[in-house]
Amino acid sequence: MDGQIFDERPQTRTKYKALGIHHLNQIADIGCLSKEQIQTIRIVGQVFPFRTNDYVLKELIDWEKIPDDPIFRLVFPQRDMLTEEDFMSMARLVKGDAPQSEIECLRHDIQSRLNPHPAGQRELNIPTEESLPIDGLQHKYRETVLFFPSRGQTCHAYCTFCFRWAQFTGNKELKIASKDADTIRMYLARNKQLTDLLVTGGDPMVMKTRALERYLHPILQDSSLDHIVNIRIGTKALSFWPHRFIHDTDADDLMRLFEDIIQTGRSLAIMAHFNHPRELATDSARQAIQRIRNTGAVIRTQSPLLNHINNHEDIWAALWNQQVQLGLIPYYMFVERDTGARHYFELPLAKCVEIYQKSVRQVSGLARTVRGPSMSATPGKVEISGIETVANERVFVLRFLQGRDPSWVGRPFFAKYNPQATWLDHLKPAFGQSSFFFEEG
Ligand SMILES: *Cc1c(COP(=O)(O)O)cnc(C)c1O
Ligand code: SF4
């Protein structure tokens, strides 16, 4: 296999250190940022969380290609992520050394206009036990529960498009997280329809292996939880910090934990987040993939389709081809969600389905396991299957991949074609219907 694309590059250190808005001068030295670029990052970074590390800076970003470099846009806040008006207001405060309280006030104001909790996450998905909400769980689809361990609520670096951005900006009311392992086990034990536990965050891979074990071992050993047969761990560590699986002091313990999970007869899926083929090209990423696969875990992949980062069919075809070659299973292509700097990243649904179709047509059938483009919307995960003309009307053909009501899954439905629509709530039912079938009752 080739893949030695970056062997001319400096070796990065293997001890993790987060670099944030207070390290911009240090970052500028690594990456040759101008004074003006630093200032822009400082201004936009007041609103959108910013964090990176040595591996991302030295092995993923191609500094000769900034500002167009996709990984640069993935981790560094960009000027156009704010409206001109908001940018100018924040610039005035930052340049004028305004008191922190004034900056925070403006930050709150801007953030609150950016739909910090999309798709009813807060109100609709949190399960209750004796009518108290259970902190740290989200249960939307019958067979799968999401678990947000409290120590896993950050990431090795932050994506500028992240729909969890509100969690990272220190606003406590917006956080979803958990410390109470017993309450969670009780909920799992009582819900026998569950088969899947998806550990997510943030990124649970920022946790020490011992902390992760404290959550998972009791679940693995509890015979009242035998119905939980699939464990998934959602992570972007394979792209932002592959050393987590190779060089971190507890990387070997982590591999043993993966083996322990599989030893109980369960399946373990690492739900890996990759936005661009570059993230798969480093030696470290490839070693980490190999180590994880050696434990018997399966790696499935997902990414949103993002303007300025991966908005071309050839990028996706390369991404999926390389994944299949490395033994990964392409799983989801998502539509960028209706939150944060969506105006910067979003693409019309019509464009999304065009890119999906053009890329999926280029790849082996083994890579066509990928589903999408899908919207994680309030009623469920909705895939745009295509655009057709039916009975003289131009329509989007849609279907539920997941639904709040499981009987919706797989059911096709139709919306009037709308070339500007970027989300489900922009769509109107086709064929003169007054509502979609899932809105009835
Ligand atoms: C996507 C998602 C899942 C998992 O759905 P699968 O189709 O099983 O991959 C579970 N819960 C929520 C809230 C989700 O968004
Ligand atoms: S790794 Fe995932 S959770 Fe973390 S910032 Fe990126 S998209 Fe958000």
Side-chain angles (χ1 to χ4, degrees):
M1 201 173 299
D2 58 290
Q4 304 299 313
I5 298 173
F6 293 126
D7 53 6
E8 300 292 316
R9 297 207 146 197
Q11 278 291 302
T12 54
R13 72 166 133 204
T14 53
K15 192 156 166 36
Y16 179 74
K17 182 174 185 292
L19 299 171
I21 202 153
H22 302 299
H23 306 97
L24 282 176
N25 291 329
Q26 196 181 326
I27 293 168
D29 287 343
I30 298 173
C32 325
L33 289 165
S34 71
K35 283 221 156 57
E36 201 196 329
Q37 284 167 319
I38 295 174
Q39 188 70 296
T40 300
I41 295 163
R42 188 166 283 135
I43 293 161
V44 185
Q46 301 299 329
V47 177
F48 296 112
F50 167 65
R51 171 185 262 203
T52 186
N53 67 59
D54 204 47
Y55 171 79
V56 173
L57 295 175
K58 291 190 180 153
E59 297 201 47
L60 294 186
I61 293 175
D62 183 347
W63 292 98
E64 314 239 300
K65 301 224 173 85
I66 71 161
D68 293 335
D69 181 74
I71 312 294
F72 179 71
R73 293 200 195 272
L74 170 63
V75 293
F76 282 90
Q78 309 285 320
R79 181 180 174 132
D80 294 347
M81 290 177 187
L82 289 181
T83 63
E84 184 62 17
E85 199 189 333
D86 286 339
F87 181 86
M88 294 314 284
S89 315
M90 188 56 93
R92 225 171 294 128
L93 296 188
V94 171
K95 287 181 185 163
D97 273 326
Q100 200 53 34
S101 58
E102 258 181 69
I103 292 180
E104 255 160 51
C105 197
L106 181 60
R107 167 192 303 151
H108 269 270
D109 170 45
I110 299 174
Q111 287 181 343
S112 64
R113 286 185 268 115
L114 296 170
N115 192 23
H117 260 288
Q121 274 183 67
R122 199 66 208 159
E123 310 78 40
L124 296 171
N125 301 341
I126 305 207
T128 57
E129 184 72 30
E130 280 147 12
S131 78
L132 290 173
I134 299 177
D135 228 14
L137 287 188
Q138 258 193 50
H139 190 185
K140 183 167 177 180
Y141 305 129
R142 186 177 54 191
E143 69 282 354
T144 303
V145 68
L146 310 192
F147 169 39
F148 298 77
S150 52
R151 294 209 208 154
Q153 299 311 306
T154 58
C155 302
H156 291 101
Y158 291 152
C159 308
T160 41
F161 61 80
C162 180
F163 71 87
R164 299 188 178 99
W165 61 283
Q167 278 174 229
F168 302 139
T169 53
N171 188 340
K172 287 273 188 305
E173 307 140 55
L174 298 174
K175 285 198 182 183
I176 307 175
S178 167
K179 287 205 181 96
D180 194 350
D182 290 340
T183 324
I184 287 165
R185 281 219 309 287
M186 209 180 322
Y187 183 82
L188 300 183
R190 287 190 193 166
N191 284 273
K192 298 292 182 205
Q193 80 280 23
L194 286 169
T195 53
D196 287 39
L197 173 70
L198 199 169
V199 187
T200 182
D203 191 330
M205 287 296 119
V206 301
M207 296 164 78
K208 290 273 176 243
T209 304
R210 280 190 51 194
L212 204 56
E213 281 171 354
R214 270 200 291 274
Y215 285 115
L216 289 178
H217 275 156
I219 291 173
L220 300 177
Q221 287 152 8
D222 186 337
S223 61
S224 69
L225 300 180
D226 285 349
H227 56 292
I228 309 288
V229 290
N230 306 313
I231 310 282
R232 311 190 206 178
I233 300 177
T235 184
K236 198 167 167 66
L238 274 167
S239 18
F240 280 162
W241 190 248
H243 300 309
R244 179 68 192 92
F245 307 96
I246 317 167
H247 298 117
D248 277 9
T249 49
D250 58 352
D252 291 347
D253 297 331
L254 183 63
M255 295 305 106
R256 271 190 290 276
L257 173 60
F258 288 3
E259 285 166 0
D260 290 347
I261 294 172
I262 290 159
Q263 282 289 311
T264 67
R266 292 177 167 88
S267 81
L268 173 63
I270 304 301
M271 308 304 290
H273 175 182
F274 291 106
N275 308 117
H276 193 278
R278 173 97 53 83
E279 296 164 300
L280 289 160
T282 68
D283 287 344
S284 304
R286 290 177 176 215
Q287 268 181 52
I289 288 168
Q290 199 54 57
R291 291 203 84 193
I292 293 170
R293 293 188 63 221
N294 287 346
T295 68
V298 171
I299 306 173
R300 291 179 184 265
T301 64
Q302 54 196 22
S303 167
L305 173 49
L306 302 155
N307 202 6
H308 303 294
I309 292 184
N310 58 22
N311 54 332
H312 196 280
E313 55 270 18
D314 294 347
I315 298 177
W316 287 89
L319 187 64
W320 296 331
N321 276 333
Q322 285 188 31
Q323 288 174 355
V324 166
Q325 209 180 338
L326 294 167
L328 281 49
I329 304 176
Y331 189 57
Y332 267 125
M333 174 200 261
F334 289 117
V335 175
E336 167 60 1
R337 290 179 78 146
D338 48 345
T339 181
R342 73 182 286 196
H343 64 278
Y344 184 84
F345 294 111
E346 72 187 356
L347 292 162
L349 300 177
K351 184 72 190 166
C352 295
V353 73
E354 181 194 322
I355 291 176
Y356 176 81
Q357 289 178 344
K358 283 185 175 165
S359 50
V360 91
R361 283 169 191 157
Q362 294 181 43
V363 298
S364 154
L366 293 175
R368 293 185 193 154
T369 48
V370 67
R371 300 178 298 170
S374 312
M375 295 172 273
S376 286
T378 307
K381 276 197 172 69
V382 175
E383 181 192 70
I384 307 128
S385 306
I387 299 167
E388 281 304 329
T389 301
V390 180
N392 288 324
E393 189 172 333
R394 193 102 175 115
V395 296
F396 283 116
V397 183
L398 305 147
R399 79 177 162 137
F400 277 99
L401 300 176
Q402 279 287 7
R404 276 188 191 284
D405 179 339
S407 72
W408 299 347
V409 174
R411 195 167 157 182
F413 63 104
F414 304 91
K416 270 191 200 135
Y417 178 70
N418 169 351
Q420 274 99 42
T422 59
W423 199 250
L424 187 62
D425 59 3
H426 300 156
L427 298 180
K428 300 263 179 295
F431 311 128
Q433 303 279 307
S434 57
S435 59
F436 291 117
F437 79 86
F438 55 89
E439 293 170 331
E440 288 153 15

